Amino acid sequence: MPTETETTPVIEDETKSKADLDSGFLVICWNDPVNLMEYVTHVFQVVFGWTKQKAEEHMLQVHQKGKSVLMRETMERAEHYVHQLQRYSLHATMERDR
Amino acid sequence: MKSGEQRLLERTFELYPVMPAGIAPLSKSSDPEEMQDEQDLLDELMRESKAENRLELMNFLRRPRQFEKEEDALLLTVKKSEVNWLLEIVNEIRVGLWYKLGQPDPEEDEVPSETAHLEDWISMEYCADLQARLLFTLTDPK
């Protein structure tokens, strides 16, 4: 009887390294009916150090399209920015860039 | 400002922080369990920064000569370096009250009939006015 060596395929656990997790998160600001447009522009300038023009472009995107992707960052930095934006009571979240 | 406005400002600032806890998720699309640690950290950071802000705000109100008499009005002194911080505070109160009042349509200007809600509504509207004035100082710092 021939001996058969069974080879069981080894399925590696889908463990994600920190680098994988840090592959990219989008920092998004969502529209809400309560924050003033000038205030949102001001916050973008303070948090990201943007020019008024760039901050206004993103503010208008939020206002007209419902959201604006502000940054693509590592998890840690995205968390930092979301914290900053939420400190100013803006509706901001981080979403994995798929 | 008039002394009535000073009372309104003090009463409004006393409300800080107003924003209900847990209203701001870190992520909309991620599995909440997957990001629970990060969410907890964010919540803690928010609590800490608001507690710190509240302490500073009370010191701000009690600062000597904070409201100086000038003829028949009172002059509130805000240092240039405090404008951004004050905007953060004022907007937190305003947005927090907006949630507390059931997210009324800002365009409609509907005055609530209940007294408790009326006080919150007045504070919310006052914050909008104060915010506009503070934002104006950033463009015209005279």
Side-chain angles (χ1 to χ4, degrees), chain A residues 5-97:
Chain A
T5 312
E6 272 189 21
T7 52
T8 313
V10 178
I11 301 167
E12 286 183 9
D13 284 346
E14 203 180 307
T15 49
K16 288 190 172 109
S17 67
K18 191 171 184 321
D20 287 337
L21 286 171
D22 280 358
S23 59
F25 280 82
L26 305 176
V27 177
I28 300 177
C29 186
W30 304 84
N31 191 31
D32 65 56
V34 69
N35 277 298
L36 303 175
M37 291 163 84
E38 294 87 348
Y39 176 74
V40 175
T41 303
H42 166 73
V43 173
F44 287 169
Q45 285 182 272
V46 172
V47 172
F48 299 111
W50 289 345
T51 60
K52 189 167 188 192
Q53 190 191 348
K54 184 173 181 182
E56 269 175 348
E57 281 168 16
H58 281 276
M59 176 277 291
L60 285 172
Q61 223 172 32
V62 172
H63 184 65
Q64 290 163 353
K65 298 184 176 171
K67 68 173 183 180
S68 177
V69 175
L70 307 176
M71 287 269 171
R72 185 184 183 280
E73 281 292 351
T74 60
M75 185 186 225
E76 201 172 289
R77 288 191 62 79
E79 277 172 17
H80 165 76
Y81 283 126
V82 170
H83 174 225
Q84 291 301 306
L85 295 165
Q86 289 196 1
R87 264 186 76 148
Y88 286 97
S89 310
L90 297 195
H91 186 184
T93 62
M94 55 189 268
E95 310 298 336
R96 198 185 292 278
D97 188 12

Side-chain angles (χ1 to χ4, degrees), chain B residues 78-93:
Chain B
V78 180
K79 293 176 192 163
K80 199 176 171 189
S81 59
E82 291 171 331
V83 173
N84 182 54
W85 166 75
L86 209 50
L87 272 168
E88 179 190 328
I89 306 268
V90 170
N91 199 56
E92 201 276 351
I93 299 172

Side-chain angles (χ1 to χ4, degrees), chain B residues 23-85:
Chain B
I23 210 149
L26 184 61
S27 177
K28 277 176 185 272
S29 60
S30 300
D31 177 1
E33 280 182 24
E34 187 193 350
M35 297 198 86
Q36 194 55 53
D37 289 347
E38 287 78 13
Q39 182 68 58
D40 291 344
L41 179 67
L42 177 71
D43 293 344
E44 195 185 327
L45 286 170
M46 294 293 279
R47 269 195 302 275
E48 279 175 11
S49 63
K50 287 184 182 189
E52 204 174 294
N53 274 344
R54 180 166 173 86
L55 203 64
E56 282 180 45
L57 189 60
M58 293 306 113
N59 290 335
F60 170 84
L61 290 174
R62 291 178 195 129
R63 200 158 61 192
R65 299 194 302 278
Q66 183 62 297
F67 297 91
E68 283 208 283
K69 272 196 175 170
E70 197 172 83
E71 295 177 2
D72 63 339
L74 290 164
L75 190 69
L76 170 69
T77 307
V78 180
K79 293 176 192 163
K80 199 176 171 189
S81 59
E82 291 171 331
V83 173
N84 182 54
W85 166 75

Side-chain angles (χ1 to χ4, degrees), chain B residues 10-22:
Chain B
E10 286 171 341
R11 198 192 71 204
T12 300
F13 282 6
E14 274 291 339
L15 298 172
Y16 182 87
V18 185
M19 198 83 104

